[in-house]
Amino acid sequence: MLLGSLSRPRVSRLLRALALALAFATFTAPIYAQQTVINAPSVDQTPKGRVFALHESQVRTWGDTSFWQTTHFVTYGVTKHVELAVTAYNIGTPLKRLATLGVGWKGAADIPGLARRAPQWEAKVGAGQMVAIPLRGERLGVWSYLQSSVRLPVLRTRLMAGVSDGPKAMFGKATTHFMGSFEQPLAALPGALGHALHDVTLLGEWWAGQHEFADFVPGFNYHRGKTVVILGYKLANAPGTRGDGIVFEIGRTF
């Protein structure tokens, strides 16, 4: 495996270089609208000249460990192809050491050739970077990621796979790991059921490894007009963890 043969510093430098290269390429590629899956970045973008704001709460009120942690997310569409983002992570109770302010960009582009030969697959590649500014404790760091996405014909299922490289200030340790997701529009169901659930999508995302984002989150997305609501359940990769909990998000484009 290529990544396995490289040291982590080399992987980090490679991801950053490729992400920067894609930033320039995306200024000529068409992009459409959805900023994240749940926490994982999407290959879709905030429309040019528009602002998207999202609030996320992660809540656990049972057992011997309860918490309420929030993430606040604002993006601005610079062009059709690139957005800028500011995100505040882990603001809540109890106080967490990894409270972080992230400032960065995200972009995406059609995979050359496939957009013409197989448009129904909606094959895209994306990248992004975020400077992680710690609000407590850790040193400044940079998160970089690359991803690709396709949509299956007929079922309309969107699949995403990518590699993420992030600093201790954001992930609790320096880490390079896999991230992936699926999005299944329930409008693909036959007949009246598909019509009734037209605005609902079944979601799932997974971050590999053992770090702050290392979990599987299944859930649902309700997206109508300018508003999106997401409800899911966080299952940490380590069984029996006390970090499992309900995930709720609400966002709107302005």
Side-chain angles (χ1 to χ4, degrees), residues 32 110-111 113-124 149-153 156 158:
Y32 305 94
D110 293 332
I111 295 177
L114 288 180
R116 293 190 301 274
R117 291 196 296 268
Q120 70 275 18
W121 287 85
E122 296 182 25
K124 297 180 181 181
S149 173
V150 296
R151 190 182 292 279
L152 303 181
R156 307 302 295 153
R158 172 179 279 186

Side-chain angles (χ1 to χ4, degrees), residues 140-164:
L140 196 76
V142 176
W143 174 38
S144 302
Y145 58 87
L146 292 171
Q147 58 188 157
S148 60
S149 173
V150 296
R151 190 182 292 279
L152 303 181
V154 183
L155 291 177
R156 307 302 295 153
T157 310
R158 172 179 279 186
L159 303 175
M160 183 275 287
V163 60
S164 162

Side-chain angles (χ1 to χ4, degrees), residues 22-228:
L22 187 59
F24 292 101
T26 54
F27 277 94
T28 59
I31 284 298
Y32 305 94
Q34 182 181 322
Q35 295 75 13
T36 62
V37 181
I38 298 176
N39 285 311
S42 165
V43 291
D44 290 339
Q45 302 298 112
T46 304
K48 179 182 178 180
R50 307 301 290 271
V51 173
F52 176 80
L54 180 139
H55 164 85
E56 175 189 277
S57 283
Q58 295 189 15
V59 181
R60 179 184 175 98
T61 60
W62 59 92
D64 59 353
T65 303
S66 60
F67 61 81
W68 175 45
Q69 298 295 333
T70 68
T71 294
H72 306 277
F73 178 69
V74 178
T75 66
Y76 175 74
V78 181
T79 72
K80 290 183 179 180
H81 324 300
V82 173
E83 67 185 36
L84 301 180
V86 177
T87 308
Y89 296 95
N90 290 333
I91 309 300
T93 182
L95 292 175
K96 293 191 72 171
R97 177 177 58 86
L98 289 175
T100 307
L101 179 67
V103 180
W105 65 272
K106 176 167 74 75
D110 293 332
I111 295 177
L114 288 180
R116 293 190 301 274
R117 291 196 296 268
Q120 70 275 18
W121 287 85
E122 296 182 25
K124 297 180 181 181
V125 60
Q129 291 181 307
M130 185 164 280
V131 177
I133 305 167
L135 303 179
R136 287 189 290 274
E138 304 298 339
R139 294 185 300 173
L140 196 76
V142 176
W143 174 38
S144 302
Y145 58 87
L146 292 171
Q147 58 188 157
S148 60
S149 173
V150 296
R151 190 182 292 279
L152 303 181
V154 183
L155 291 177
R156 307 302 295 153
T157 310
R158 172 179 279 186
L159 303 175
M160 183 275 287
V163 60
S164 162
D165 177 84
K168 188 174 181 180
M170 193 164 180
F171 291 90
K173 65 178 183 178
T175 173
T176 302
H177 50 268
F178 171 85
M179 60 179 182
S181 68
F182 71 87
E183 302 169 67
Q184 176 59 60
L186 298 187
L189 293 172
L193 186 58
H195 180 74
L197 298 175
H198 182 270
D199 300 316
V200 180
T201 299
L202 176 65
L203 306 172
E205 72 174 37
W206 180 55
W207 300 68
Q210 298 295 327
H211 50 80
E212 180 70 15
F213 287 74
D215 51 42
F216 172 64
V217 183
F220 292 91
N221 170 328
Y222 175 79
H223 197 167
R224 188 174 183 99
K226 298 179 181 179
T227 301
V228 59

